[in-house]
């Protein structure tokens, strides 16, 4: 099963064409999308169904928005956290069962700056995500959590740690929140394939030609529980998808899981 994640930075008509082309050559079984910036009514579910992908979408129009596309079935979709707390006012989380795997697409808040109220919201959002794992799933279940987590897990995941000192995405509380997800039982499957390799980024600022300078960050992750993580056979950041006209500032991340055997 090939599972991928991609922050589209708005599913515009141009990016929809790019997405269709990418689906045709990358052939993911499940694709998690973030930042669609569409309402549910505007999401082009029928176009994806024509390519044999069922779709679920949780959107709010101009901001945020997440989706799951699946050609291996899509059951029991849950928008948001699905807990007994008040709903998150922002459309950032969606979960469904695809081919027997409980898949979550997440668009973690950016945080803006460490002294901003959005940073407090980000840490609270991550804590709520972590708490929800205890009630919804177990570490030995088949679970994949992927998306734009807006956190670079370690210094190896940024082009120059000194350039980000004191900023969001690399602060100790954010990294601890991500580490708490991993401590629960989620594995960063891409990094496990490339444990000591630097320069592997999934996001590059549009400004100053950062993509061509290879000045990026790895903030788009595929996290999986151990029964799936041990079945990863291949992982890739598709840097080519960041090229061309009007791309997203993110590249898709893919991982192949050998789920034919009894996991």
């Amino acid at each position: 099963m090939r599972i991928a994640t991609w922050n589209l930075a708005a599913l515009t008509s141009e990016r929809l064409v790019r997405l269709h082309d990418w689906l045709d050559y990358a052939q993911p079984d499940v694709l998690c999308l973030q930042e669609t910036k569409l309402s549910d009514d505007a999401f082009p579910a029928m176009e994806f169904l024509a390519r044999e992908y069922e779709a679920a979408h949780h959107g709010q129009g101009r901001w945020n928005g997440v989706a799951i596309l699946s050609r291996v079935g899509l059951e029991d979709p849950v928008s948001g956290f699905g807990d007994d707390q008040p709903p998150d006012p922002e459309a950032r989380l969606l979960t469904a069962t695809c081919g027997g795997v409980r898949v979550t697409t997440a668009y973690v808040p950016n945080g803006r700056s460490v002294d901003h109220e959005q940073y407090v919201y980000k840490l609270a959002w991550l804590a709520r995500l972590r708490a929800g794992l205890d009630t919804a799933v177990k570490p030995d279940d088949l679970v994949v959590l992927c998306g734009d987590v807006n956190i670079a897990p370690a210094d190896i995941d940024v082009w120059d740690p000194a350039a980000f000192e004191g900023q969001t995405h690399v602060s100790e509380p954010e990294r601890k929140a991500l580490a708490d997800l991993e401590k629960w039982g989620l594995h960063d499957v891409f990094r496990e394939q490339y444990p000591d390799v630097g320069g592997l980024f999934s996001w590059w600022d549009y400004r100053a030609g950062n993509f061509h300078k290879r000045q990026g960050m790895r903030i788009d992750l595929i996290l999986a529980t151990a029964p799936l993580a041990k079945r990863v056979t291949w992982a890739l950041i598709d840097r080519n998808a960041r090229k061309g006209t009007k791309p997203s500032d993110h590249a898709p991340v893919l991982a192949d899981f050998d789920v034919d055997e009894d996991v």
Side-chain angles (χ1 to χ4, degrees), residues 13-124:
S13 57
E14 294 90 348
R15 294 205 181 120
L16 180 59
V17 172
R18 292 175 66 103
L19 176 55
H20 284 323
D21 290 343
W22 187 82
L23 288 171
D24 288 343
Y25 83 75
Q27 294 289 309
D29 296 296
V30 180
L31 173 60
C32 294
L33 299 174
Q34 302 86 43
E35 208 174 354
T36 63
K37 295 185 179 180
L38 294 175
S39 66
D40 290 340
D41 289 342
F43 185 75
M46 294 304 295
E47 292 194 37
F48 296 122
L49 190 59
R51 280 179 159 75
E52 301 185 345
Y53 284 94
E54 296 180 71
H57 183 258
H58 176 41
Q60 62 183 96
R62 292 180 59 198
W63 312 109
N64 308 313
V66 286
I68 299 174
L69 311 183
S70 174
R71 61 181 187 182
V72 292
L74 196 157
E75 301 174 341
D76 303 320
V78 175
S79 297
F81 288 100
D83 53 22
D84 58 1
Q85 300 182 48
D88 185 358
E90 300 186 357
R92 294 183 173 273
L93 199 67
L94 176 66
T95 302
T97 298
C98 305
V101 177
R102 196 64 176 164
V103 177
T104 295
T105 178
Y107 179 36
V108 176
N110 179 286
R112 300 188 185 177
S113 64
V114 295
D115 58 352
H116 198 282
E117 63 182 11
Q118 281 291 313
Y119 181 78
V120 177
Y121 169 59
K122 180 177 189 175
L123 295 179

Side-chain angles (χ1 to χ4, degrees), residues 113-212:
S113 64
V114 295
D115 58 352
H116 198 282
E117 63 182 11
Q118 281 291 313
Y119 181 78
V120 177
Y121 169 59
K122 180 177 189 175
L123 295 179
W125 196 97
L126 288 163
R128 187 173 177 182
L129 179 66
R130 166 64 186 84
L133 293 173
D134 287 331
T135 57
V137 289
K138 300 186 294 295
D140 57 356
D141 290 339
L142 304 182
V143 175
V144 170
L145 167 65
C146 55
D148 177 2
V149 304
N150 269 314
I151 302 168
D155 284 352
I156 195 175
D157 298 305
V158 299
W159 71 272
D160 180 5
F164 295 93
E165 187 172 351
Q167 298 183 27
T168 57
H169 297 69
V170 300
S171 71
E172 188 277 334
E174 291 167 283
R175 285 179 167 174
K176 181 182 182 302
L178 180 58
D180 286 343
L181 294 174
E182 294 179 344
K183 187 181 300 183
W184 177 85
L186 293 174
H187 297 252
D188 183 348
V189 300
F190 180 87
R191 180 52 72 195
E192 289 185 355
Q193 292 293 301
Y194 307 95
D196 301 310
V197 182
L200 301 176
F201 307 131
S202 64
W203 174 86
W204 302 262
D205 197 319
Y206 284 124
R207 297 170 293 183
N210 283 1
F211 176 69
H212 302 288

